[in-house]
Amino acid sequence: MEHGAWGELARSLSGLRAAFDESYEATHGFLPESPAGEECRRDDLGGAWGDTPARDANIMPLTSVFVLLDHMGSLSTLLTSPGGITATHTLARAMLDISTGPWFLLEPGIDGRERVRRHMNLRLQSLKEQTHLETGTDRTAIKVHAEGRIQRIVQAARAHGFDVRRTNDRYQPPFLGTKLPTTTALATQMIDPTLGQLLWRIGSAVAHGQQHGISMFLEQIDQPVDPLHGDAAAQMGASAEATALRCGGAPLAVICTLQRLFLQFGWDTTRLSIATADVVNTWQSVAGVRRGPVPEGLRGSSRSVMQGRL
């Protein structure tokens, strides 16, 4: 294992985590003068779904970001470990998946009402999934609780003039206004339409264990096993260059999500900008990618990172 290159990839991810930790420890949430703070001051959507839905909609992404960063820490550990060849790609795919929720909720430029609508749609989806946890059994406490929460959200949404749809579907959750975009659609939008879709598909192939995905790690060696039938020996392996290229969507997803979080919470982006530029430069250097303009999805709220290149 090329410890130098692998170590550089891991080191750059640690910089992203440090940038987040520093800001979180200084604030423990959004600042009063931030977009999130302004939405909370204007919140008039209290009801059966909660007294402070605007605050809930702004805080909820933070919990997902903690999960996302924990996965990033695991990826960093695997990058400097002797085993776990395919696990790096599986974690990268999971990071792309996890990041879509907070990234979608933290979109800049939408008003507090729209953010609450998105948050409630995510809650409705989660609650509906809870009702399916014990399929085939009698009504349990889990089902009763989830169904009750769904009804309270629907009740409050109607009271505030939201268009509530698909309330009687046995399998699909109700939704307010328009349905949630699919995870695949969000993953491809987050980074870059073409690059994001490619990275998502590569990660899916490995995470789902398809033969064409696992075969990416097989390398034929010049050692015949059965010359009569043409069998040849092969070995599992991965280079830092290939891993940086195939897993590159994971750190980009973290960057995109953190940029939106920092903007919405009013956090200073200086440290994040430095860490972002380091990640972009390090991963593209290890991957051997020719430098070009930063994809639009990476621009976010950071300023100095604009000097970084992909």
Side-chain angles (χ1 to χ4, degrees):
M1 186 176 273
E2 309 137 58
H3 291 287
W6 293 103
E8 280 297 289
L9 295 176
R11 178 199 55 76
S12 68
L13 298 183
S14 298
L16 273 183
R17 181 65 196 243
F20 169 82
D21 287 344
E22 180 183 83
S23 297
Y24 178 73
E25 289 299 324
T27 61
H28 291 282
F30 54 80
L31 297 175
E33 66 275 13
S34 66
E38 182 63 25
E39 288 177 14
C40 290
R41 282 192 293 274
R42 296 182 178 183
D43 186 11
D44 58 357
L45 297 174
W49 55 20
D51 295 332
T52 56
R55 183 182 185 281
D56 296 341
N58 278 283
I59 288 296
M60 186 270 188
L62 186 60
T63 61
S64 297
V65 167
F66 276 113
V67 176
L68 177 61
L69 294 178
D70 284 346
H71 277 67
M72 186 177 72
S74 298
L75 176 61
S76 180
T77 299
L78 283 173
L79 290 172
T80 54
S81 300
I85 295 172
T86 61
T88 54
H89 293 62
T90 303
L91 266 174
R93 172 32 159 82
M95 289 167 64
L96 271 172
D97 196 336
I98 295 167
S99 64
T100 59
W103 181 83
F104 179 63
L105 270 182
L106 291 165
E107 181 175 350
I110 63 175
D111 60 20
R113 182 180 176 88
E114 170 61 12
R115 205 175 311 280
V116 168
R117 185 191 71 82
R118 295 184 182 191
H119 175 229
M120 293 304 168
N121 277 344
L122 284 168
R123 287 188 64 193
L124 287 168
Q125 183 181 66
S126 175
L127 289 166
K128 190 67 173 182
E129 289 172 354
Q130 289 180 40
T131 67
H132 297 318
L133 289 176
E134 298 169 294
T135 303
T137 65
D138 295 331
R139 287 170 56 83
T140 64
I142 292 177
K143 288 184 178 180
V144 171
H145 172 77
E147 290 169 355
R149 296 301 301 175
I150 288 174
Q151 290 307 311
R152 283 195 284 276
I153 291 174
V154 167
Q155 174 189 338
R158 285 175 172 155
H160 287 290
F162 287 93
D163 182 18
V164 184
R165 303 185 180 186
R166 199 169 59 193
T167 57
N168 297 318
D169 194 297
R170 182 177 178 182
Y171 301 103
Q172 299 298 318
F175 61 89
L176 315 183
T178 57
K179 292 189 295 185
L180 282 169
T182 65
T183 303
T184 302
L186 290 173
T188 57
Q189 294 170 17
M190 185 165 42
I191 301 169
D192 174 83
T194 301
L195 178 61
Q197 186 176 67
L198 176 61
L199 293 170
W200 178 259
R201 287 177 175 175
I202 290 174
S204 297
V206 179
H208 294 165
Q210 299 296 323
Q211 184 176 355
H212 64 279
I214 300 300
S215 66
M216 291 192 297
F217 306 101
L218 291 176
E219 178 183 357
Q220 184 171 329
I221 57 179
D222 189 19
Q223 180 181 337
V225 176
D226 186 349
L228 182 63
H229 296 93
D231 294 343
Q235 64 182 5
M236 291 284 286
S239 66
E241 177 181 356
T243 300
L245 186 62
R246 294 170 185 160
C247 297
L252 295 184
V254 174
I255 288 170
C256 291
T257 303
L258 289 182
Q259 286 178 340
R260 285 192 169 185
L261 179 76
F262 274 55
L263 174 64
Q264 185 67 8
F265 280 25
W267 293 353
D268 179 72
T269 61
T270 303
R271 179 76 181 271
L272 177 63
S273 298
I274 295 171
T276 295
D278 181 46
V279 169
V280 170
N281 291 332
T282 299
W283 281 68
Q284 77 170 17
S285 175
V286 173
V289 176
R290 183 177 61 84
R291 299 190 176 193
V294 174
E296 191 63 32
L298 284 179
R299 296 184 181 276
S301 63
S302 299
R303 294 184 175 86
S304 61
V305 72
M306 295 305 98
Q307 299 174 1
R309 300 293 176 187
L310 264 180

